[in-house]
Amino acid sequence: MMKINKALKTPYYLLDEAKLIKNLEIIKTIKERSGAKVLLAQKAFSNFYFYPLMSKYLDGTTASGLYEARLGMEHFKGEVHVYAPAYKDDDFKEILNYADHIVFNSITQLNRYKDLAKANGKSIGLRINPEISTQDPEHQMYDPSSPTSRMGTRLTDFDPAIIKDISGLHFHTLCQQNADALEITLKVVEEKFGKYLHDLKWINFGGGHHLTRDDYDIDLLVKLVKHFKETYDLEVYLEPGEGVVLNAGYLVAQVLDIVKNDMHIAILDTSATCHMPDVIEMPFMPPVTGALSKSQYQYRLSGYTCLTGDNIGEYYFEKPLAIGDHIIFEDMALYTMVKNNTFNGIPLPWIYVRKTDGTDELIKSFGYLDFKNKLS
Ligand SMILES: *Cc1c(COP(=O)(O)O)cnc(C)c1O
């Protein structure tokens, strides 16, 4: 169990270097066995402190637009890929300075920018929508194959004439899934777009691969990647975000007060909506260190903003909570620091790294000006 230094000022994120290295080692094995290239999707995790370490294992980064592309170019030694649902003219011109691979969402976007991209030596691709949902229906918000999705070009909108203009195809349809969902997806991709793949240089399988989860079927993934490489003579890219930093971080908070309504409610010096917005958006309930599946001491853990629904979840503890107790939320590296905000004027948690030697290093502090400077 993670032991924390109680002298540190809460709330703070604690990134676990040893756990990150463990994940990167798993990905290294996947790369070696399959021949796939693996990129970090910065959308999930953009802590460039770790980019030098990560670039020893991964082939580069992928970006959702201009700023992530720039960050990847500036701090990560490797390829820079970018995909955006749509590009703006000004952004696109600047992206040309940073990215090697540029993926377009539609044929209109491709035609608008392809000459400029090619003149600048870029490898360009089109995102396809294979229209194969493998996710739970209640997760439509995260399902690019859902009926209302704007993500990627469907076969009906596809024009084979553009194959001569591009070097690769990209799809991204998974979210927190295993290789069985990828297998189902790839069958459909081959049925619909397979005949074009022989003329291309690469295919990108997107993100959503939970590569570092204990039950992840690495053997199946290796088989699928090899099949594409061998059948179509392609470079295969994977671009996981979550999978790279799964379980590699914590958010440490303290109990400020305990009130009672329908149950005991512990108010913490953190916030779901500010510091872990996916708890509300996804939604999900993060694991809490030491929490039990059942006991007589049940608490709703909640934030100290003025949002009534700023609740993290209901948890059971071994003994009653007390004011000042530390609460450690697990799996807090992904989609937290990249999404947090200062709603209610709530301070941003400082960021520490738990080094492999067991010491904690402060890598980022925040204060009042971080709240003030984005307003006027
Ligand atoms: C979100 C996203 C990723 C990363 O997804 P994870 O679920 O974090 O692995 C990769 N590629 C694209 C295009 C994305 O939108």
Side-chain angles (χ1 to χ4, degrees), residues 26-64:
I26 294 171
I27 293 172
K28 186 176 164 196
T29 309
I30 290 172
K31 283 181 39 164
E32 285 168 358
R33 287 185 54 199
S34 68
K37 287 193 171 185
V38 181
L39 311 169
L40 168 70
Q42 296 176 91
K43 185 181 76 186
F45 183 83
S46 305
N47 287 79
F48 51 92
Y49 170 92
F50 280 119
Y51 284 8
L53 169 71
M54 292 172 128
S55 58
K56 289 187 193 150
Y57 294 86
L58 307 180
D59 297 284
T61 54
T62 189
S64 321

Side-chain angles (χ1 to χ4, degrees), residues 86-90 92-93 104 106-118 124 162 165:
Y87 296 101
K88 300 173 67 168
D89 289 347
D90 290 349
F92 193 81
K93 283 184 201 127
F104 298 98
S106 69
I107 290 184
T108 315
Q109 282 264 304
L110 173 73
N111 286 333
R112 185 178 176 89
Y113 293 114
K114 70 180 182 205
D115 293 339
L116 191 55
K118 277 194 197 161
I124 63 178
I162 61 105
D165 293 324

Side-chain angles (χ1 to χ4, degrees), residues 41 43-44 83 127 170 172 174-175 206-209 239-243 335:
K43 185 181 76 186
Y83 156 80
R127 176 165 173 173
H170 174 289
H172 168 73
L174 306 183
C175 182
H209 317 278
E239 45 178 35
E242 279 210 33
Y335 294 104

Side-chain angles (χ1 to χ4, degrees), residues 237-248:
Y237 287 97
L238 305 173
E239 45 178 35
E242 279 210 33
V244 179
V245 291
L246 201 62
N247 294 311

Side-chain angles (χ1 to χ4, degrees), residues 4-5 7-16 45 47 49-50 248-254 269-271 274-276 304 327 329 332-333 336-338 340-342 345-354 360-371:
I4 51 155
N5 175 358
L8 302 183
K9 193 168 77 82
T10 58
Y12 62 92
Y13 299 105
L14 181 61
L15 300 175
D16 188 339
F45 183 83
N47 287 79
Y49 170 92
F50 280 119
Y250 305 85
L251 175 59
V252 183
Q254 266 180 291
D269 60 356
T270 185
S271 158
C274 295
H275 302 160
M276 40 183 133
Y304 74 137
I327 302 286
F329 295 98
M332 282 288 143
T336 51
M337 291 157 283
V338 289
N340 63 14
N341 62 75
T342 56
I346 298 288
L348 294 172
W350 291 13
I351 305 174
Y352 286 86
V353 172
R354 170 65 53 90
D360 294 336
E361 180 191 343
L362 178 67
I363 60 166
K364 186 78 188 179
S365 59
F366 299 99
Y368 169 65
L369 289 181
D370 295 291
F371 162 63

Side-chain angles (χ1 to χ4, degrees), residues 199-236:
D199 298 320
L200 297 174
K201 292 200 174 70
W202 51 265
I203 184 164
N204 188 320
F205 292 176
H209 317 278
H210 247 189
L211 303 175
T212 51
R213 204 169 75 193
D214 286 342
D215 68 344
Y216 191 84
D217 189 348
I218 291 176
D219 291 342
L220 178 56
L221 175 67
V222 167
K223 192 180 117 195
L224 296 170
V225 170
K226 280 188 164 166
H227 167 73
F228 267 73
K229 285 179 75 83
E230 285 158 16
T231 312
Y232 304 105
D233 190 22
L234 290 169
E235 196 75 74
V236 173

